[in-house]
Amino acid sequence: MLFKFKSQVTSDLIMLEADARRLLYIMLGHDPDKGIILVKDLSAAIAKLESAVAQDEAARLQRSQAAQKASVPTDSTQDASVEVLDAVRLAQRASPMLKLLKHCVADPSDVVWGV
């Protein structure tokens, strides 16, 4: 399922259900199928989302540092060109939503989805 976030001042933002629900839960405390974020509530939603992104980045940095300390030197016979990819960060998932919300604050407009 896809979530489509709409406002009168931006183009639609389409997200996969899992990502949209995660962001909605961060911003609202629950993840409804339909809803609206009023202009007066946009600043609080932005603050909550930015705080969650900052916490996630700090936790990732801490895990990365711990992994570097615990890493064992690799055998020289292993292929050094193999790169391990990290999971997609919350900051990457939240960036389009933050842009939409900030634009809706600058040019006052509610954000709706599921309607």
Side-chain angles (χ1 to χ4, degrees), residues 62-81:
Q62 190 174 29
R63 286 192 305 268
S64 174
Q65 290 172 346
Q68 287 177 354
K69 289 180 183 177
S71 69
V72 178
T74 58
D75 186 12
S76 61
T77 60
Q78 291 182 349
D79 186 8
S81 66

Side-chain angles (χ1 to χ4, degrees), residues 6-110:
K6 303 176 186 182
S7 79
Q8 293 179 345
V9 296
T10 64
S11 57
D12 295 348
L13 172 61
I14 300 172
M15 299 185 100
L16 293 173
E17 179 179 11
D19 299 325
R21 287 191 181 279
R22 181 177 181 196
L23 296 181
L24 286 170
Y25 189 79
I26 290 168
M27 293 184 297
L28 306 175
H30 60 293
D31 56 352
D33 289 333
K34 297 180 186 179
I36 184 169
I37 301 176
L38 300 173
V39 173
K40 66 181 178 95
D41 299 326
L42 288 172
S43 296
I46 291 169
K48 288 178 184 178
L49 196 51
E50 287 177 336
S51 174
V53 167
Q55 290 174 1
D56 182 65
E57 290 297 314
R60 288 176 61 85
L61 180 62
Q62 190 174 29
R63 286 192 305 268
S64 174
Q65 290 172 346
Q68 287 177 354
K69 289 180 183 177
S71 69
V72 178
T74 58
D75 186 12
S76 61
T77 60
Q78 291 182 349
D79 186 8
S81 66
V82 176
E83 182 179 338
V84 178
L85 299 176
D86 289 336
V88 178
R89 300 184 336 258
L90 178 60
Q92 292 169 296
R93 296 289 188 210
S95 178
M97 178 65 77
L98 284 168
K99 287 178 185 175
L100 179 135
L101 296 173
K102 288 178 181 180
H103 195 79
C104 290
V105 167
D107 191 3
S109 177
D110 299 332

